[in-house]
Amino acid sequence: MNEINSHINEAISYITQNYYENITLESMANKLYLNKCYFCTLFKEQTAKSFSNYLNEVRINKSKGAVAQPIRN
């Protein structure tokens, strides 16, 4: 894969840190000052996943990690 675009790096970082927030394709594109369609295409080209699939995978993986941790008293 080629070097990841700085916009996509920023999006991935934001998703990782804020996965529990209401993140939409439109809000992420606006945050990066990109057209929604262009961002969607760029994200898919760079990650081989759609934005929504990537976001859902991060949320699922974070949830799995939270469930796997023992409860501390």
Side-chain angles (χ1 to χ4, degrees):
M1 181 185 291
N2 295 337
E3 184 177 328
I4 294 183
N5 179 286
S6 63
H7 289 108
I8 302 308
N9 269 336
E10 188 174 341
I12 288 170
S13 178
Y14 185 84
I15 290 167
T16 302
Q17 295 173 12
N18 300 284
Y19 63 91
Y20 49 86
E21 298 285 341
N22 182 22
I23 304 170
T24 65
L25 175 64
E26 187 169 359
S27 69
M28 182 58 62
N30 287 339
K31 180 172 182 47
L32 299 171
Y33 303 104
L34 296 174
N35 174 282
K36 182 173 71 171
C37 293
Y38 176 69
F39 172 70
C40 187
T41 300
L42 186 61
F43 196 92
K44 179 98 179 201
E45 286 175 356
Q46 296 286 304
T47 65
K49 297 176 185 177
S50 71
F51 172 78
S52 58
N53 283 348
Y54 183 85
L55 177 59
N56 287 333
E57 281 184 16
V58 169
R59 288 175 170 164
I60 289 167
N61 289 332
K62 295 285 187 179
S63 295
K64 285 179 183 178
V67 170
Q69 293 180 0
I71 298 173
R72 297 184 182 138
N73 290 330

